Amino acid sequence: MPAMPAIEAQFRSLPGGGILYDAARVRHPGAQLFQHGHWVAHNAVREVSGGRGSVSFIAPGNESTRTDDAWVWRHYRRGGLVARLLQDRYLFTGAERTRCFREWRLLARLIDCGLPVPEPIAARFLRSGLTYTADLLTAELPPSLTLAQSLGRAALSSQQWQSIGRTLAAFHLHGVQHADLNAHNILLGTSAADQVFVLDFDRGRIREPGDWEQRVLQRLRRSLEKISAQLPPTVFGKAQWGWLMEGMAAGKAVGCRL
Ligand SMILES: Nc1ncnc2c1ncn2[C@@H]1O[C@H](COP(=O)(O)OP(=O)(O)O)[C@@H](O)[C@H]1O
Ligand SMILES: [Mg+2]
């Protein structure tokens, strides 16, 4: 496999905030990268979808050093009850502690480890008084469907469940704790059946092995149970979870680091 060009982390302060970006990939590290109007003017917003309705697919054109690059832009939003009060604002305690810089740096580390996650492009925070808003650009993954979408179309094979388990084992072997592992944050490649990606590393971290691994898996299991409640019983149950666990055990046994 040709070596991927390394990510070149670089920081630049912007009026009222700052940007952390891959200098090997971003041509003009500026606020325009996070202005909807900029992309619309270049006819570069392809589509909008996603979890909380805040993900845009961007064709960056000559903002990228790569031809035909494709980026995904996410604006950080709060979930749950605080969302109504604070929407998209977080307490500022330093640039490196912002949600977006943390996720950008974690993704860069995971890419370094060879884990299947989106490459980080640029993270930006913007301050206003004590708070900030956050945005992240990542590279779009190869054509894929979320695990949730895939299950809505057809049952997965035992091999596919095992591939998911092996992938999760690799993350756990590296000590990567996902803060919100669910069926919307696991993607399955549509060209190769065993391609599995994981995304959405907001609040994720690297830590020593521990109980957290079981908690992460239980969260995923609950998500799968919730989604499959409306689907035929063959889509998800004990057998499917068992295959996933088999893949997980096999991955751990061989120290599978993908
Ligand atoms: N880099 C990416 N490549 C392809 N699809 C992506 C990428 N980032 C996000 N998506 C899609 O957008 C959805 C929402 O993104 P995510 O990062 O999970 O944010 P949130 O859950 O906070 O809305 C994902 O479930 C996935 O379908
Ligand atoms: Mg998500």
Side-chain angles (χ1 to χ4, degrees):
M1 247 184 20
M4 286 295 283
I7 295 169
E8 283 176 41
Q10 205 148 321
F11 170 79
R12 185 174 162 211
S13 67
L14 297 174
I19 180 171
L20 176 64
Y21 62 100
D22 179 359
R25 188 103 172 229
V26 175
R27 221 185 270 277
H28 313 290
Q32 83 287 351
L33 298 177
F34 302 96
Q35 276 155 11
H36 189 70
H38 170 73
W39 299 118
V40 172
H42 290 81
N43 205 12
V45 188
R46 281 199 285 108
E47 189 191 328
V48 177
S49 75
R52 298 180 192 135
S54 52
V55 177
S56 309
F57 291 82
I58 306 277
N62 63 13
E63 293 285 2
S64 172
T65 56
R66 296 195 193 170
T67 43
D68 296 323
D69 211 355
W71 294 350
V72 180
W73 174 15
R74 183 170 102 238
H75 184 68
Y76 288 70
R77 283 176 205 287
R78 289 183 176 275
L81 279 178
V82 270
R84 225 180 294 172
L85 203 68
L86 285 165
Q87 285 112 25
D88 62 349
R89 312 212 63 90
Y90 303 87
L91 187 67
F92 186 79
T93 57
E96 285 301 330
R97 296 171 61 93
T98 57
R99 306 281 280 250
C100 53
F101 276 29
R102 286 196 158 173
E103 186 167 354
W104 193 101
R105 290 212 188 269
L106 180 58
L107 287 174
R109 245 179 111 173
L110 303 186
I111 290 285
D112 255 3
C113 295
L115 291 168
V117 301
E119 295 149 345
I121 304 291
R124 192 240 355 217
F125 69 89
L126 199 56
R127 293 183 65 177
S128 161
L130 293 176
T131 63
Y132 70 95
T133 57
D135 289 275
L136 181 70
L137 288 168
T138 56
E140 189 179 345
L141 293 167
S144 41
L145 291 173
T146 68
L147 175 54
Q149 291 168 332
S150 306
L151 292 177
R153 298 187 178 193
L156 304 186
S157 67
S158 57
Q159 286 88 340
Q160 283 177 298
W161 284 107
Q162 286 164 354
S163 298
I164 296 169
R166 269 202 310 281
T167 304
L168 298 180
F171 280 89
H172 283 188
L173 281 171
H174 281 95
V176 183
Q177 181 184 21
H178 196 291
D180 187 21
L181 190 68
N182 60 44
H184 304 281
N185 291 332
I186 295 174
L187 270 65
L188 304 181
T190 45
S191 45
D194 57 351
Q195 235 180 354
V196 180
F197 304 99
V198 184
L199 43 67
D200 199 353
F201 283 89
D202 184 20
R203 291 178 295 116
R205 55 182 174 144
I206 295 184
R207 51 188 306 197
E208 293 299 314
D211 293 351
W212 60 265
E213 295 185 33
Q214 284 313 313
R215 289 201 300 274
V216 167
L217 293 175
Q218 284 317 310
R219 190 184 185 96
L220 174 61
R221 189 173 189 170
R222 282 196 302 275
S223 159
L224 288 165
E225 279 164 357
K226 192 169 151 194
I227 285 164
S228 61
Q230 325 291 332
L231 298 170
T234 49
V235 169
F236 183 72
K238 275 212 174 78
Q240 287 72 16
W241 187 253
W243 293 328
L244 188 150
M245 293 313 273
E246 272 172 39
M248 183 105 201
K252 288 219 161 174
V254 296
C256 162
R257 293 182 172 245
L258 293 175

